[in-house]
Amino acid sequence: MYPVARYNPVFPNWLYFLLSLPIGVIFLTFIITIIHEIISFGVKKTPFKENRRAFFKKSLDIGAVSLVVGTNAKAMQNAKTIELETIDIKIKKLKKSYEIVQLSDIHIGGLIDKEFIANLVRRVNSLKPDTIVITGDLVDTKLEFAKPALEELSKLNSKYGTYFIVGNHEYFHDVYTIINYVNSLGIKVLENESVYIGDENKGFNLAGVYDVFGHKYGHFIPNLDKALEKKQNSPTILLAHQPRYLNDIDTKDIDLALCGHTHGGQIFPFNYLVKLQQPYVRGLNKHNETTQVYVNKGTGFWGPPMRLGASSEITHIKLS
């Protein structure tokens, strides 16, 4: 029932909440059960008397149940809170300071609704950024259901505007239609192209590419050369949904890449599995001598409304 509710959000939120929980609850319970069984095996092998082993076993059972309840409750609570991550990033040859707010992986649909977006917009606008970027996976349902929430994003305010690139989830819901609709809201979709942000000769190039999922989709394929065709002789910031895209390109002309996709693992210890596919999972990383990478952990969530060890974030980037 969960995928039915996810992609056809006609269910009331309370029912969707209940349908989405088992994925996370079962995963966390499974991990804790493995730990419980390993320790139980050790207890059985101890030279203690039977009554003492029984005491340890009962204590272990109570502790495991308590841990299951506690971690699941904490994970659900974490998903309700979006942390503000403020980070200073130095870029060579940048002649003036700028402030960027990065949002990513909002996944509109289900519990990520109009009210969620309205609250998000208020928080972002209060930061009074120079520009706002959304690095993919904005829409995760049929466009007709996402429109009320998307319209709230048109209220985002910044000096140089809001920019968006598609993530892999947009390809699942008619990427062409989503691009056109987001553009109609006054949010510029960067489609293998760049724009200049800031004062003349004192700003930076903001480039954006399609997601690497485009190779499987057969259309809307990322092309960095095309994106940089019209760039000016200033620092360049690249918006690319998946960090692994950086391994496929020559980044000599990229000073900073802003990415998403990973959710920071969302639920520990998924971050270790994500690391098998993506070179960076979260935060600021040095890709090479010329390029830095910042990976947003996601502003919303996918699947269960749970986060553990990886909070949702609004990233407030101060460039200097």
Side-chain angles (χ1 to χ4, degrees):
M1 292 295 291
Y2 169 72
V4 173
R6 176 77 201 182
Y7 298 113
N8 297 277
V10 294
F11 292 77
N13 270 1
W14 67 265
L15 181 56
Y16 177 81
F17 178 80
L18 293 177
L19 291 173
S20 62
L21 277 180
I23 301 171
V25 171
I26 290 171
F27 173 74
L28 284 175
T29 304
F30 176 69
I31 295 298
I32 293 169
T33 300
I34 291 176
I35 297 171
H36 171 273
E37 290 302 305
I38 292 173
I39 298 175
S40 291
F41 179 79
V43 170
K44 291 177 183 178
K45 296 298 181 180
T46 60
F48 298 141
K49 293 181 179 179
E50 185 63 30
N51 62 340
R52 176 161 288 191
R53 278 202 300 269
F55 170 78
F56 281 125
K57 180 63 168 60
K58 187 175 181 179
S59 299
L60 179 62
D61 292 346
I62 293 172
V65 171
S66 299
L67 190 59
V68 165
V69 173
T71 53
N72 278 283
K74 179 62 175 173
M76 285 183 268
Q77 179 61 37
N78 287 347
K80 296 180 180 180
T81 305
I82 304 176
E83 300 290 341
L84 178 63
E85 300 281 355
T86 300
I87 182 166
D88 296 303
I89 301 178
K90 294 187 180 300
I91 294 181
K92 293 180 181 178
K93 299 181 181 180
L94 185 64
K95 298 176 182 178
K96 183 179 177 181
S97 297
Y98 293 90
E99 295 188 12
I100 299 175
V101 167
Q102 181 192 8
L103 308 174
S104 192
D105 301 271
I106 297 174
H107 290 279
I108 290 174
L111 299 175
I112 309 295
D113 56 11
K114 179 179 179 179
E115 182 181 357
F116 181 99
I117 300 300
N119 290 331
L120 176 64
V121 167
R122 282 192 289 271
R123 289 189 64 184
V124 172
N125 286 345
S126 70
L127 298 172
K128 299 180 179 179
D130 291 306
T131 192
I132 300 165
V133 299
I134 306 172
T135 48
D137 283 2
L138 173 61
V139 178
D140 199 7
T141 188
K142 293 179 180 178
L143 182 58
E144 61 183 289
F145 297 116
K147 282 183 177 179
L150 285 172
E151 288 169 0
E152 289 295 319
L153 286 175
S154 68
K155 299 174 185 177
L156 285 169
N157 292 321
S158 63
K159 187 174 182 179
Y160 299 107
T162 302
Y163 300 88
F164 168 63
I165 57 166
V166 297
N168 56 302
H169 279 256
E170 274 77 28
Y171 291 82
F172 306 149
H173 305 289
D174 190 352
V175 61
Y176 178 78
T177 304
I178 291 172
I179 288 172
N180 286 340
Y181 187 75
V182 172
N183 272 322
S184 75
L185 297 173
I187 297 172
K188 171 62 178 173
V189 183
L190 294 176
E191 303 179 69
N192 291 337
E193 60 186 316
S194 65
V195 295
Y196 193 77
I197 302 293
D199 299 335
E200 188 175 354
N201 297 323
K202 293 183 179 180
F204 59 90
N205 302 292
L206 182 66
V209 293
Y210 295 124
D211 184 54
V212 293
F213 190 82
H215 292 291
K216 293 182 180 179
Y217 188 75
H219 201 31
F220 298 97
I221 297 169
N223 185 329
L224 181 63
D225 290 335
K226 184 179 178 182
L228 299 181
E229 278 180 350
K230 298 180 180 180
K231 81 179 187 70
Q232 297 186 30
N233 186 26
S234 295
T236 298
I237 296 176
L238 174 67
L239 308 183
H241 180 60
Q242 299 192 44
R244 68 187 177 97
Y245 176 65
L246 300 176
N247 291 335
D248 301 333
I249 61 173
D250 183 350
T251 64
K252 63 180 174 57
D253 293 324
I254 307 299
D255 295 274
L256 173 66
L258 301 180
C259 305
H261 184 68
T262 68
H263 293 216
Q266 187 162 322
I267 302 176
F268 177 85
F270 263 127
N271 51 305
Y272 294 108
L273 298 178
V274 173
K275 187 65 176 175
L276 298 177
Q277 187 195 39
Q278 302 291 337
Y280 312 109
V281 178
R282 65 173 72 181
L284 186 63
N285 304 270
K286 186 176 181 180
H287 183 64
N288 53 36
E289 290 302 316
T290 62
T291 309
Q292 299 178 79
V293 184
Y294 187 86
V295 183
N296 179 296
K297 300 191 297 297
T299 309
F301 50 81
W302 183 87
M306 304 172 74
R307 277 185 172 272
L308 190 66
S311 61
S312 298
E313 72 170 89
I314 296 169
T315 315
H316 187 195
I317 301 170
K318 297 182 178 181
L319 301 177
S320 62

